[in-house]
Structure formats: C-alpha cells, structure tokens
Amino acid sequence: MSLDSTARRRMILGWFVNYMPTAWNRPWAGPNVTGWTDGQFYIDMARALERSSIDLIMLEDSSVVPENFGGTMEAEFKATVKAPKHDPLPLAAAIAAATTSLGIVTTMSTSLYPPHRIAQLQATLDQLSDGRAGWNVVTSFEDLAARNIGLDTLWEHDERYARADEYLRAVSSLWRAGAVPDARGRAVFEGRSFALDAPGTTPLVQRRPVLCQAGGSSSGMDFAAKWADLIVSVPSGIDAMKAYRDGIRRRAEAAGTDPDATKVLYMVTPILGESVAEAEDKEARMYSAEGDNFLRRLVQLSNIAEIDFAEYDLDAPIPEDATTNGAQSILEGMKKMTRGSSLREAMSGKGESTSLRLVGTPESVADEMEAAIDQVGGDGFLLFHGGGGLISRHYLDDVLDGLVPELQRRGLAQSGYGPGTFHDRLTNDTLRSTT
Ligand SMILES: Cc1cc2nc3c(=O)[nH]c(=O)nc-3n(C[C@H](O)[C@H](O)[C@H](O)COP(=O)(O)O)c2cc1C
C-alpha cells in the first residue's frame, strides 16, 4: 500500500475532549459509567481516531471547580460541566503508548506552570510519542485559579498575553538548548534564568511541540498568529469564520510567519442520522430544556457569563434591572432573548456554541463542511461533543463510521497518515490517500 498525494488540500480534523466522566445519565452511556477515571475510554477513543486517520486529539484542561451557579460547587458536580476532572498529561502519555500516528495536544496554562516545567513535560511527551506532542497554550481566566498559585486574582487579560509572549521565548530557548547549548542563556522569564532539565539536554524529535492556541480577542489573535502552528476557534457562521481566518493570516504575515503554515480549525458538533429528520429529532432531544440537560446548560452559561442563573425565575424573562460584574454583553444578549418569553423557552434547542450547525445525514453534513471550507479558504474542523458527561462510543461511531468515511470518499479528509512528525503532517496538507 503506498501513499499518493494529489494537489487538493485536505481538511485537517481534530477532536477536542475533556478527561471527565463520559455520558452517564443519557442513552448509550455504556455499561461502565463510573469507570472514566482509568482513562481507558479515552485511550480506546484515541485508537478509534487513529483508525479513522484523524490528525489529532486535543485534551482540555482548567484547574478550578467554578462556583458561579448557586455560589457553590454542587451544581458543577451534578451537571458534570467542569468537574470532576483529571489531569490530561498522564493520559497523553498513555495515549502515546497506545497509538503511533495521532497528534496529541495537551493543555497547559502559562499562568499556572513555571516555564521550565512546561518545557520539560512537553519535551518528555514529544520524545515518548516520537514527535507527536502538541501544547494548547492557554493563559487561564478564572480568578479562582489564582488561589492555586498564591494570588488573589490573575493578571489582566492583555497582561496575561504579554507574559505568555515572554514565556514562549523562554521555553523556546530551553527547547533549543538540546541542540544549541548557548540558547539556554536566553531562557529568562521575569528576570530569572533557568537551570536546564534533563529532557532538554537532548533535542526534541520535533523542533518544538506543535503549538496550538485559541486566541479570540485582538491580543489573543496577535499572540496566536505569532506563535501557533494550529489555531482552534469558534467564530459563528461562514462570514465570521472567514473574517477570523483572514485576520489570523494578516497578523501572521505582519509577524513574519508563513500564513500557510498556520492552520485554523473551527469547532463543530455534527449530529448525524440516517435521514435529516432523524438527525433533527436527535438534536431536539440532545438540547431540550428539560431536567439534567437544562441544568447543565444553565451551569455552563453561568460560567461563561459569570452570572448566577440560580437566582432567576426560569419561567420568566430576565429582569431588565439585572446586573453582573462579569460579561455585560452576554447578560444584555440574554435579556433580549428572553423578552416576551422565558429563560427556559429561550434556551430550548440551544446546544454548545459551535461555528456551524451541522445536523443531517453523513452526506448532507459532508456537503456543508465542504462548502464551508471552500468559502472560508481552509483549514479544518475541531470535533467536539460538548464538555463532561456527554461523550459516548455511540457518538464516536456516528462520526467515525458515518461522517469521516464520507469525507474520505470525497477526497476531503486523509485515509492514512503522511510521513514525519505531527508538525510535518500538519503543514503537508495536500491530500494523502491509501491506494
Ligand atoms: C476550542 C477551544 C478550546 C479551548 N480550550 C481551553 C482549555 O482547555 N483551557 C482553558 O483554560 N481555556 C481554553 N480555551 C479558552 C482560550 O484559551 C481563550 O481564552 C479563549 O478562546 C478566549 O480568547 P482570548 O483569551 O483571546 O480572549 C479554549 C478555547 C477554544 C475556542
């Protein structure tokens, strides 16, 4: 079997997942709803992704259990939105041992880890996985997280990115130090230089791990365009997707980076059926404003907007005089949505925030993905089935046995991996198919 490449650019496909409970209070939860902690579901998932030639798995992380809904952690655990959760790094090592070609992206925060720890851990993962490590660079935004590092609040938004820029220069020097010993002298962060950790004394398999980022703000986009190989995003609709990608490419060019080497993925949650009607019915049930689903959604919104929705009457509009210290624009948007109806009604049928609503058969969804990438100009999609408590083998099968083969048949997705490292395969995005 040989790998042939054609001139057509393919979609890059990734899957974003939380190391949290899998589906447990919904259909097709599987027989072992409490067994998520051993990581086996996610290791099996990584193997399934690799069988389908998916480019990468991306493991989410955050370090707090929010208390926005009802002022306690109780609802978080009940709804399994952000907790309970395990650390993705050891899971990444187990996934590396169980796979050979899948890119493995782990999330680590520049606000919470000292630079030499990330340099060392990512170098180790890169060597363990033979050149398949990626780092999702986040700066953290929850003030609760600050307590874990002895602070009351985190740095201001733009200052977090300014620190992250200095941070990336420092870790890059540490990674270069394996090959260029005097690079270590430039590994300085906040006025302090670092001693070299052992994994940094041998060159990484990749020049550096694949750098992934999700800057949405102007300073975030500047940072992403300067540093990232892979950008994950959720602009809503084709026009916003195109504007986002064009903005990143302009910024990359201004920063002296090749825009074609910076890949942008859009987050989507395809809902698939044997007919469009069946898929729409599934969607309506998935996002109905009933019971556990509704609580989950409220907790999620409370986290995003920093509004305690536990204080509101769910069957009435949001009062016009309601205020928040958090995201004013989200509260104003919610008020508008509930005027003349109720919070419950306004939220009925609303799913995760994604770039495109993809609901239909494998064929109709592949049509929409193809049209979107053609209009936007590139580069691929980040699949996601919501946060904790939602993913099931049943959903994975819908996508991996239904949608992905349809994309492969059309020559839109790869049916085998190209040679080299994770980074090599990302930048070589002409279609590779097994023939
Ligand atoms: C697909 C995607 C995945 C993200 N994953 C994480 C994560 O695992 N941990 C985290 O703290 N933030 C995560 N974020 C938040 C981003 O790092 C970033 O803060 C957010 O996109 C807002 O952009 P801004 O910081 O430029 O305002 C993610 C964002 C997106 C769009």
Side-chain angles (χ1 to χ4, degrees):
M1 208 187 273
S2 69
L3 286 172
D4 276 355
S5 64
T6 72
R8 182 163 196 181
R9 287 179 65 181
R10 66 179 178 87
M11 286 176 193
I12 293 166
L13 295 178
W15 201 306
F16 185 41
V17 76
N18 311 64
Y19 186 6
M20 286 188 63
T22 53
W24 59 276
N25 59 352
R26 48 194 75 235
W28 285 279
N32 184 8
V33 292
T34 56
W36 67 275
T37 48
D38 67 11
Q40 203 52 55
F41 177 94
Y42 297 105
I43 295 166
D44 287 351
M45 173 177 175
R47 286 202 191 97
L49 296 182
E50 189 162 89
R51 267 198 307 279
S52 296
S53 308
I54 300 295
D55 290 80
L56 61 113
I57 187 166
M58 179 175 159
L59 305 172
E60 181 266 357
D61 196 26
S62 63
S63 64
V64 300
V65 183
E67 298 173 358
N68 296 309
F69 188 89
T72 74
M73 298 176 189
E74 194 184 330
E76 282 294 337
F77 283 105
K78 201 163 170 203
T80 52
V81 173
K82 291 214 134 193
K85 177 163 23 190
H86 271 345
D87 193 291
L89 258 77
L91 177 62
I95 288 174
T99 55
T100 58
S101 308
L102 185 69
I104 305 165
V105 179
T106 44
T107 302
M108 300 176 87
S109 168
T110 56
S111 295
L112 305 181
Y113 278 86
H116 70 280
R117 293 294 298 143
I118 291 193
Q120 183 187 38
L121 285 163
Q122 287 291 340
T124 307
L125 281 174
D126 194 57
Q127 288 160 353
L128 264 178
S129 65
D130 197 20
R132 293 186 287 133
W135 169 25
N136 179 30
V137 184
V138 301
T139 60
S140 298
F141 47 85
E142 311 95 339
D143 277 341
L144 271 179
R147 292 194 206 158
N148 294 340
I149 50 167
L151 300 175
D152 292 329
T153 55
L154 288 178
W155 298 268
E156 288 302 317
H157 180 273
D158 284 9
E159 199 189 334
R160 292 203 299 272
Y161 277 119
R163 287 181 84 253
D165 189 63
E166 190 192 353
Y167 194 111
L168 263 287
R169 272 185 273 126
V171 291
S172 300
S173 298
L174 287 171
W175 287 325
R176 270 202 309 275
V180 186
D182 76 345
R184 180 185 147 193
R186 290 192 289 276
V188 176
F189 183 62
E190 295 182 327
R192 280 178 290 122
S193 63
F194 298 100
L196 201 58
D197 281 310
T201 56
T202 55
L204 276 69
V205 181
Q206 303 182 95
R207 182 173 53 93
R208 63 176 192 196
V210 165
L211 293 182
C212 175
Q213 221 275 330
S217 59
S218 177
S219 52
M221 287 173 75
D222 285 343
F223 178 82
K226 178 173 171 185
W227 289 103
D229 307 299
L230 184 69
I231 297 180
V232 292
S233 65
V234 206
S236 175
I238 303 278
D239 291 347
M241 288 159 68
K242 181 162 173 43
Y244 183 81
R245 184 168 182 272
D246 290 349
I248 289 287
R249 291 174 68 82
R250 263 197 315 276
R251 286 167 156 93
E253 212 154 3
T257 308
D258 174 9
D260 287 334
T262 308
K263 306 299 183 188
V264 180
L265 308 190
Y266 313 98
M267 198 156 81
V268 290
T269 302
I271 300 175
L272 301 153
E274 285 179 23
S275 66
V276 174
E278 186 192 319
E280 285 176 344
D281 187 44
K282 247 187 200 176
E283 182 195 33
R285 275 181 285 114
M286 259 173 76
Y287 300 136
S288 78
E290 301 295 329
D292 292 335
N293 261 351
F294 190 43
L295 175 70
R296 190 173 194 291
R297 192 78 186 118
L298 284 175
V299 172
Q300 221 171 13
L301 268 180
S302 287
N303 290 342
I304 296 167
E306 286 172 51
I307 295 163
D308 185 357
F309 281 112
E311 291 184 353
Y312 294 109
D313 178 354
L314 305 180
D315 293 304
I318 295 178
E320 292 297 333
D321 59 359
T323 55
T324 174
N325 285 329
Q328 312 285 340
S329 58
I330 295 186
L331 180 60
E332 291 311 312
M334 295 287 303
K335 277 185 199 169
K336 211 162 132 194
M337 273 167 60
T338 63
R339 252 173 233 149
S341 74
S342 68
L343 194 51
R344 194 184 303 277
E345 233 172 281
M347 288 191 18
S348 183
K350 300 279 185 310
E352 309 291 327
S353 57
T354 57
S355 280
L356 291 174
R357 176 179 173 267
L358 295 175
V359 181
T361 63
E363 294 76 22
S364 73
V365 168
D367 284 347
E368 288 180 74
M369 290 169 81
E370 180 170 11
I373 289 293
D374 282 348
Q375 287 172 58
V376 171
D379 296 290
F381 292 97
L382 185 67
L383 301 156
F384 181 55
H385 189 226
L390 295 178
I391 188 97
S392 64
R393 287 188 169 80
H394 185 78
Y395 182 73
L396 277 170
D397 287 348
D398 274 359
V399 175
L400 298 182
D401 292 347
L403 178 59
V404 173
E406 181 60 33
L407 293 171
Q408 289 168 332
R409 273 192 290 277
R410 295 173 186 211
L412 295 169
Q414 66 182 0
S415 329
Y417 291 94
T421 62
F422 178 22
H423 187 263
D424 296 334
R425 289 194 276 265
L426 270 186
T427 41
N428 184 358
D429 60 357
T430 49
L431 185 74
R432 300 191 157 267
S433 57
T434 47
T435 53

